[in-house]
Amino acid sequence: MSCPSNYGGFQFTQKKDTNNDGANTVKFADINGDKKIDLIVSRQNANLLDGNKMDIAFYQGYGDGTFSYIEKVTDQFHSTTRGPTTIAIGDLNNDGYPDVIGAYTDATTGTIISWFKNDGGYETFGLPQVIHQDTEIVPRCLAIQQLEVVDLNKDGFLDVVAACGTNILWYQGIDKNGNFDPKAKFVSSDGSHSRRFQIIDVNKDSYPDVVVVQDKENSVAYYKNTEYSPSTDGKGSFDAAISMDTACKNAFDITSGDFNQNGWEDIAVICEGDGRVVLYENNEGTFGYGKQIATTNKISHQIESTDVNRDGYLDVVIRSLSTTQNSMEGVVTWYDLNHNQGYVNDVYQQIVGTDGIGNYLAIGDLNGDGFGDVTMSKDWISTSQTGFTLISVESCTAGSSGGGFGTFVLVVFIFGLIGGLGYLCWRWKKNRDNDFGDGFLSA
């Protein structure tokens, strides 16, 4: 299948895997050190399947966009009702191989966050090592939405950050063996419902800040990483929220990138309640008023940034659900933010139609061609449903559709070049014949 247009796009390459029923979060990493991207998935409903209880699994990538059969990270990380709801990737013990961090919430025991040691690239992982478990004295991590791994306090050790409903917790890595301070620290504890977040250096002081969307408050805000907070114990303390917007209705998801190419990280957000995608440009450490860069007519739940058509400007890819009540059908679209003509609304190409895409999308170069491909998962509600749960959609090179204007120009150029060379050869021969005349011909 060719690209849908001359300006870049996607060609649908469906990957069925009924053994991966229950997949939600998808991450990319090189698990075994072969310099090829592998897929790691959390499987929220995995324990509901007979005989296959892999809570977290992976697919070894072959470098050409194809993958191995499903392989186990762990089958020992679930409650009696649910498996992990989210995962993150990071080399916690500094051995050169990415480890897996997972979280799940049980109605009785609360939320548990653990990490799984990658055993030196042999494609096996260790038992769960607990980072956080809700107790009466440990802050409860309710309705966990997101995990990330980053060195928040710049001490050389990776930390774990978790969006926990009414607060954002972080656990400090204390050595290069993957050990953590058992006492949770706070990015925020103001009671606001921080649903999703991005970790970027807003003001270029070399310390990562946390930008959040708060759906119940219709708010976009950020928490500045500072050593000057009243409760400071060094970098990794955070000031009170700095508001960027309080009119982003049901602020649902967030992505980051230098959209305006001024060298500072900007933020793009889905305001799901009013069908808008809004960009907040970073003006050397402060955010300007939000600019609407796209509108959606679906229930949009996830946003990612990438340069789809390789025009040098970031675009956004959005995963949406159907507007039909109780339907898991949905679409994934990309919005071409053509900066040569300003931000434009509703300039998009549909990647996948109503084929049941539901739960998560991730973008990465799966086949080594330099373009960001899309992998999506669906979380089936019950085992009575059947069908695919992992799909890959290959990003194809701009101008590869065939028969378009770009191809026409190229063909005309080639034939023109051949014709021009032919004409020069003819003129050279004619001039030579004129110079030597009949004597040359009769010699």
Side-chain angles (χ1 to χ4, degrees), residues 220-388:
V220 183
Y222 73 95
Y223 296 88
K224 182 181 177 183
N225 188 343
T226 175
E227 61 186 352
Y228 303 111
S229 297
S231 59
T232 183
D233 57 352
K235 289 289 186 180
S237 297
F238 291 84
D239 276 343
I242 300 173
S243 178
M244 298 161 55
D245 192 351
T246 57
C248 181
K249 189 175 180 182
N250 194 20
F252 209 88
D253 196 25
I254 182 172
T255 190
S256 62
D258 185 6
F259 285 88
N260 59 1
Q261 297 187 337
N262 68 347
W264 297 76
E265 287 282 297
D266 310 307
I267 292 294
V269 170
I270 292 175
C271 301
E272 188 227 31
D274 47 21
R276 295 184 299 137
V277 181
V278 179
L279 176 70
Y280 303 89
E281 293 180 310
N282 187 341
N283 300 313
E284 299 186 1
T286 60
F287 289 98
Y289 185 76
K291 297 180 180 179
Q292 181 172 317
I293 57 175
T295 60
T296 67
N297 57 3
K298 295 281 187 178
I299 303 172
S300 299
H301 278 182
Q302 188 180 355
I303 182 171
E304 300 291 338
S305 59
T306 184
D307 183 2
V308 171
N309 54 357
R310 290 297 183 268
D311 64 354
Y313 297 99
L314 284 178
D315 309 310
V316 292
V317 179
I318 295 176
R319 175 183 60 83
S320 304
L321 300 182
S322 170
T323 54
T324 304
Q325 188 174 8
N326 298 324
S327 173
M328 285 295 289
E329 293 182 344
V331 296
V332 177
T333 52
W334 74 274
Y335 293 77
D336 179 10
L337 306 184
N338 186 346
H339 286 230
N340 293 326
Q341 299 180 16
Y343 295 110
V344 290
N345 296 334
D346 286 332
V347 178
Y348 70 92
Q349 295 183 34
Q350 183 170 295
I351 298 175
V352 179
T354 54
D355 289 307
I357 309 304
N359 206 60
Y360 199 87
L361 71 87
I363 298 176
D365 183 7
L366 301 182
N367 55 2
D369 64 355
F371 285 76
D373 309 306
V374 175
T375 299
M376 292 158 285
S377 67
K378 175 166 179 174
D379 180 14
W380 295 107
I381 299 303
S382 72
T383 56
S384 63
Q385 295 174 296
T386 59
F388 51 78

Side-chain angles (χ1 to χ4, degrees), residues 5 17 81 110 122 144 178 197 202 205 256 266 285 349 357 372 392 409 424:
S5 81
D17 188 356
T81 57
Y122 293 102
I144 186 165
F197 62 88
V202 171
D205 64 354
S256 62
D266 310 307
Q349 295 183 34
I357 309 304
S392 68
V409 171
L424 290 175

